[in-house]
Amino acid sequence: MTVSLPERILQHLEAKGKGDSLQLAEEWKEDVQKIVGAIKSLEALGNVISVEQYTKKLWELTSEGKAVAQNGSHEAVVFNAVPEDGISQPELMKVSPNAKVGFSKAMSAGWLVLDKSSGQPVVRRKVASIDDAVRTDLSALLLEGRDQMSEAQKVEYKKRKLLQEVVVKGFHLGKGPEFTLSVSKPETDLTPEMIAQGTWRNKQFKDYNLQALGAPPPCGHLHPLLKVRAEFRQIFLEMGFTEMPTNNYVESSFWNFDALFQPQQHPARDAHDTFFLSDPKESSNFPMEYLERVKKVHTEGGYGSQGYGYDWKIAEAQKNLLRTHSTAVSARMLHRLAKEGFQPVKYFSIDRVFRNETLDATHLAEFHQVEGVIADYNLGLGGLIGVLYEFFKKLGIEKLYFKPAYNPYTEPSMEIFSYHEGLKKWIEIGNSGMFRPEMLLPMGLPENVNIYGWGLSLERPTMIKYGINNIRDLVGPKVDLQMVHDSPICRLDKEDEPTETSAPPSSVEALQQEWEVIEDRLRRLEARVSDLRSRVGVAPQPKIDLTLFADPEKPPHSVLSLLSALGVKVDFHRHSTLRTVPSEQLEQDLAGRPDAEGRCVIVWAPVGAAVELVSSPVSAVRVKGEANVLRHLGRLLEASSAGVCCYERLPAELATQVDAWLDRDAASLVRTLDARLAKEQFLVGGRLTLADIFAVSVLSNSKVKLSANVERWYQKCVKLRLSVFK
Ligand code: FB9
């Protein structure tokens, strides 16, 4: 029967009184790690042996050194390859991958000579035989563990990468106070046989390790998002809420927008923000009496509201889409509640919604919306605040503040903020409000019924809870399933203990999170500005740099030609009050370049000559009048990333001269440019000016051939022009 390593060690100590792990490994030709494992198992038995750890430096052969010990040194291999009648050096270099080193060492050792007496040099042996000391030294160490090398030789072999010095850990062993030879491996299980035969009485059992984790059961693992959803669902249920049926991702615009009193020109209803379906493109099954009341409240108002005063179209309401919020489901449920006879209710939903958003580290084109709704008689805003405190307290969030906000379907509305101890900053945690009468009364709900609504996302708290910075690490095809497997249980009401994963963010992460706050604010500002505009009935505004109101009957040609010269991308919208349609040609001339950084929306409206700049990156106020708008655009250009300066600031005679150049036809302008560019970088001097921008615009509309000089200038200006409003 083989004696186990622990027993062999005990027998060695019995015989010798002491031992050493490295010597035993050497002597018994055992792997050092196995010896160490046996020592650890004996230590676990208590004071059976004494163990003292030490470290020491050892010389060991590198893989190249081992090859030399086996096959001979590089110089010996080369010497042995030289035949009696000699060999050419190029031929000799082919005998081994290390022939070059070997040849040089053999020559320095006086073993070889290069004979040049007969024209072509020939390598010959200089001695009859050699002593390959390198191989002898290395194989003595490798095969017998004998270190017969001088210090100088070791340094030399180390330099030749044949030998390396390693630090090894060893253990001095001795007999412990409870030394015994008969250590049986402690039993880990009490078996039925032991009990039946009574043999357990003389068995040693391993102590229970009560710290040991249970064996992970082979099973599925819930995704963190679903763990958080279960927590939210539990909170709503214990607060007496009933879950709404949200099993329809496809919704009609009527229920998603119109029923919520969201006007048909609202920016959120733009294809930029919403996924519309092409098949089935439309819905047609509506509660028509209710639909008529919705149409009326949008167009004429009613119930004390002035409405939006636009021509509401059922075609717009029929458009199918992927719901942009679960409030569409809330609308259906409240309409049904009104139809069946109102009674106070508390509803909630947690499900996917879809938005055609710009994707980034924290936003995908879909997210899970968490929504709560409470309907009762004579509710006030204070009650909503109280409910929100209660709700968020169950998430472990108690420090709240509420900020006035705007939603098309709630008034008043509040953004909800909370101070996050882990992130050390205030973060937005949701939105809320009281549904407007224009939404509730057309449903047929009693006038004294008020309804609270609030919402938040599932992804944001999940990412914070699980320390995930990029939403693609939480959802999507790139999710690491090990993360799902390893994600701990979710307790939303407990602040996370700081763990290595939730350590304070590094400066980059902190910056990333700061940037997310800024982006959130930016998004909210844009939404607010868009909503404000939608409330005053202007055309929807996608994310842009400039917005101009102009009248197609009196187009501001100078402003429009400057925008065209700048090549900014121009989109057009028509104010609902517009009576005359702008000419196709006018819009075609102004369309600008799709790849331009600058963006401008021209809202055609009946403003006569009073062209108006309503939004610009550098102006918080509106700019009225063509001349003022031109001056403002000039300032914008000078502040732009391309730093375009306005040549009007030049001495009058030079500025007038430039005007004259720009009035010339394309061919003579090219001649002028050729002359000017011979000594200047740009038309007026060393900087890009509006003169260059206009000149480029003249030439881009002509077929005239450009000289090499002018071509280079043209490309430079076009490139600069693209980034003007970057
Ligand atoms: O979830 C959000 N933030 C959040 C929530 C919880 C949280 O918990 C942490 C452990 C502490 C952390 C953060 N937000 C809402 C705020 C922002 O993230 C925001 O930038 C993104 N919002 C989404 C929509 O953005 C286009 C989150 C989503 C959202 C916003 C509003 C509603 C629903 C979801 C709503 C509503 C509403 C209002 C009135 C009536 C009915 C519904």
Side-chain angles (χ1 to χ4, degrees):
M1 185 180 93
T2 53
V3 178
S4 71
L5 266 179
E7 285 167 327
R8 286 182 70 183
I9 291 172
L10 293 174
Q11 288 164 11
H12 177 84
L13 292 176
E14 176 67 5
K16 310 279 186 184
K18 62 179 181 174
D20 175 276
S21 61
L22 296 176
Q23 284 166 16
L24 293 177
E26 183 82 29
E27 191 182 319
W28 295 347
K29 298 279 178 280
E30 280 287 355
D31 178 64
V32 173
Q33 288 315 314
K34 282 186 181 169
I35 299 288
V36 172
I39 292 169
K40 293 300 176 192
S41 65
L42 289 169
E43 276 191 298
L45 298 177
N47 300 317
V48 174
I49 61 172
S50 69
V51 181
E52 183 197 338
Q53 182 175 315
Y54 67 89
T55 57
K56 75 176 184 180
K57 284 187 178 178
L58 283 181
W59 287 99
E60 72 173 26
L61 273 59
T62 62
S63 49
E64 189 176 341
K66 285 174 187 165
V68 166
Q70 304 287 4
N71 313 318
S73 65
H74 304 323
E75 50 273 34
V77 166
V78 165
F79 176 83
N80 296 329
V82 176
E84 284 303 313
D85 53 353
I87 182 173
S88 74
Q89 193 168 348
E91 275 308 303
L92 186 56
M93 290 302 107
K94 297 174 188 170
V95 300
S96 88
N98 303 297
K100 192 174 171 195
V101 172
F103 175 69
S104 146
K105 291 290 182 190
M107 289 292 281
S108 343
W111 294 354
L112 298 175
V113 66
L114 196 56
D115 176 359
K116 297 179 183 170
S117 58
S118 54
Q120 178 70 16
V122 175
V123 177
R124 298 185 193 287
R125 290 187 179 190
K126 201 173 173 184
V127 293
S129 67
I130 58 167
D131 166 21
D132 189 357
V134 176
R135 176 179 192 177
T136 310
D137 291 343
L138 296 182
S139 47
L141 182 63
L142 178 68
L143 306 176
E144 299 149 35
R146 208 162 23 83
D147 174 355
Q148 60 189 35
M149 295 168 281
S150 67
E151 283 310 309
Q153 280 172 323
K154 286 175 189 168
V155 170
E156 167 63 11
Y157 295 160
K158 183 178 177 185
K159 207 162 79 176
R160 291 184 62 179
K161 295 191 178 8
L162 302 176
L163 205 54
Q164 61 191 356
E165 204 167 13
V166 291
V167 175
V168 291
K169 182 168 63 177
F171 298 92
H172 295 310
L173 307 175
K175 290 182 175 181
E178 293 159 21
F179 182 78
T180 165
L181 278 176
S182 61
V183 284
S184 58
K185 195 166 172 348
E187 297 295 338
T188 52
D189 297 316
L190 175 62
T191 63
E193 292 73 20
M194 289 178 190
I195 295 172
Q197 296 156 16
T199 53
W200 60 271
R201 294 181 194 285
N202 52 23
K203 292 271 184 203
Q204 174 94 22
F205 287 90
K206 195 175 177 205
D207 294 345
Y208 277 110
N209 170 8
L210 299 173
Q211 303 310 315
L213 293 176
C219 64
H221 294 265
L222 266 182
H223 187 282
L225 212 55
L226 302 184
K227 291 177 181 172
V228 176
R229 184 179 70 175
E231 286 291 294
F232 273 109
R233 181 172 279 139
Q234 186 53 35
I235 287 170
F236 276 115
L237 292 174
E238 68 189 34
M239 291 178 77
F241 284 69
T242 305
E243 188 156 13
M244 293 187 266
T246 54
N247 54 327
N248 65 304
Y249 294 155
V250 174
E251 186 55 274
S252 67
S253 296
F254 176 75
W255 287 107
N256 199 77
F257 292 122
D258 297 283
L260 300 176
F261 194 56
Q262 199 147 346
Q264 293 187 338
Q265 320 89 318
H266 191 282
R269 299 183 71 153
D270 206 305
H272 290 303
D273 291 4
T274 298
F275 290 112
F276 288 97
L277 269 67
S278 52
D279 181 16
K281 195 176 173 67
E282 293 172 349
S283 294
S284 51
N285 172 24
F286 299 111
M288 291 315 286
E289 285 178 20
Y290 169 49
L291 183 139
E292 285 306 321
R293 292 196 295 273
V294 169
K295 172 180 180 177
K296 186 170 185 303
V297 79
H298 279 246
T299 47
E300 304 162 27
Y303 316 102
S305 167
Q306 66 175 21
Y308 290 114
Y310 70 89
D311 178 16
W312 187 88
K313 294 192 171 38
I314 191 167
E316 198 57 42
Q318 287 177 292
K319 287 179 183 175
N320 283 334
L321 47 75
L322 290 180
R323 66 183 177 214
T324 61
H325 48 198
S326 47
T327 318
V329 179
S330 307
R332 283 177 178 271
M333 291 296 288
L334 293 171
H335 174 256
R336 187 166 81 182
L337 183 65
K339 218 167 63 168
E340 293 169 354
F342 176 76
Q343 60 175 343
V345 291
K346 291 185 283 192
Y347 290 147
F348 80 94
S349 63
I350 308 172
D351 212 331
R352 290 164 75 176
V353 296
F354 308 86
R355 300 201 183 172
N356 192 356
E357 283 219 322
T358 312
L359 310 183
D360 60 24
T362 56
H363 289 84
L364 292 177
E366 62 177 90
F367 67 92
H368 288 74
Q369 179 170 340
V370 177
E371 179 156 335
V373 173
I374 299 178
D376 205 337
Y377 297 101
N378 309 313
L379 295 177
L381 189 62
L384 173 57
I385 292 176
V387 165
L388 293 173
Y389 266 107
E390 272 315 298
F391 175 77
F392 282 105
K393 188 176 175 186
K394 290 176 179 293
L395 294 173
I397 301 172
E398 301 193 35
K399 212 170 168 184
L400 301 181
Y401 81 78
F402 299 90
K403 208 167 130 188
Y406 174 76
N407 292 322
Y409 42 84
T410 53
E411 188 61 34
S413 308
M414 303 180 295
E415 280 164 357
I416 311 157
F417 285 81
S418 157
Y419 188 77
H420 193 278
E421 295 304 336
L423 301 176
K424 298 281 178 268
K425 62 181 180 181
W426 285 93
I427 57 172
E428 184 187 351
I429 59 171
N431 192 303
S432 64
M434 299 185 71
F435 288 113
R436 299 176 65 139
E438 295 93 332
M439 170 183 159
L440 303 180
L441 298 180
M443 292 180 175
L445 288 163
E447 286 206 7
N448 61 343
V449 162
N450 307 104
I451 301 182
Y452 297 148
W454 74 93
L456 63 151
S457 77
L458 198 59
E459 282 74 5
R460 295 307 294 269
T462 304
M463 289 171 72
I464 290 176
K465 192 78 191 162
Y466 284 91
I468 295 172
N469 293 326
N470 189 315
I471 193 151
R472 287 163 188 76
D473 297 333
L474 179 71
V475 291
K478 294 185 182 155
V479 165
D480 169 14
L481 291 181
Q482 195 57 43
M483 178 279 289
V484 179
H485 179 278
D486 299 341
S487 62
I489 192 169
C490 170
R491 283 286 307 274
L492 285 180
D493 57 342
K494 287 271 171 280
E495 190 69 45
D496 280 343
E497 290 306 314
T499 61
E500 66 284 352
T501 48
S502 61
S506 69
S507 56
V508 173
E509 282 171 321
L511 279 173
Q512 169 69 29
Q513 282 159 0
E514 283 310 305
W515 175 241
E516 282 165 28
V517 173
I518 293 163
E519 274 191 323
D520 283 348
R521 285 203 190 108
L522 192 61
R523 246 192 296 283
R524 277 202 313 282
L525 272 175
E526 280 155 13
R528 177 154 178 70
V529 168
S530 308
D531 285 336
L532 284 172
R533 285 209 190 95
S534 70
R535 279 210 292 171
V536 296
V538 294
Q541 308 286 340
K543 179 172 175 20
I544 40 108
D545 304 300
L546 292 170
T547 304
L548 270 180
F549 271 52
D551 188 334
E553 290 179 0
K554 297 184 179 322
H557 287 297
S558 55
V559 172
L560 301 181
S561 58
L562 176 55
L563 288 174
S564 161
L566 290 171
V568 291
K569 174 83 177 64
V570 182
D571 294 315
F572 299 95
H573 286 272
R574 294 171 187 167
H575 192 285
S576 57
T577 54
L578 195 63
R579 298 286 170 258
T580 51
V581 178
S583 72
E584 286 296 313
Q585 188 56 46
L586 181 59
E587 291 190 350
Q588 267 167 21
D589 293 350
L590 282 168
R593 299 167 55 109
D595 53 352
E597 289 288 340
R599 285 281 180 279
C600 174
V601 165
I602 293 181
V603 179
W604 297 117
V607 294
V611 63
E612 192 174 347
L613 185 68
V614 294
S615 99
S616 142
V618 291
S619 162
V621 295
R622 294 177 161 217
V623 182
K624 287 188 178 178
E626 191 162 351
N628 292 335
V629 170
L630 267 178
R631 261 198 291 280
H632 180 84
L633 286 179
R635 281 191 287 280
L636 197 59
L637 287 169
E638 289 189 312
S640 71
S641 56
V644 180
C645 67
C646 301
Y647 66 91
E648 283 73 14
R649 295 172 183 273
L650 299 170
E653 61 280 5
L654 179 51
T656 312
Q657 171 63 65
V658 173
D659 282 340
W661 287 335
L662 295 175
D663 282 345
R664 288 179 184 164
D665 61 76
S668 58
L669 180 54
V670 168
R671 286 192 295 278
T672 306
L673 279 162
D674 239 346
R676 297 287 299 170
L677 296 173
K679 53 180 183 299
E680 296 290 357
Q681 269 218 49
F682 291 96
L683 183 54
V684 175
R687 282 186 60 197
L688 178 74
T689 70
L690 268 179
D692 299 287
I693 297 280
F694 280 116
V696 162
S697 174
V698 168
L699 298 183
S700 61
N701 297 326
S702 77
K703 298 275 181 288
V704 71
K705 183 163 173 26
L706 305 182
S707 65
N709 228 3
V710 176
E711 180 61 36
R712 269 193 301 280
W713 158 85
Y714 183 91
Q715 293 310 331
K716 191 164 49 175
C717 293
V718 167
K719 195 156 170 273
L720 277 169
R721 186 177 76 165
L722 276 185
S723 64
V724 158
F725 288 154
K726 198 164 189 166

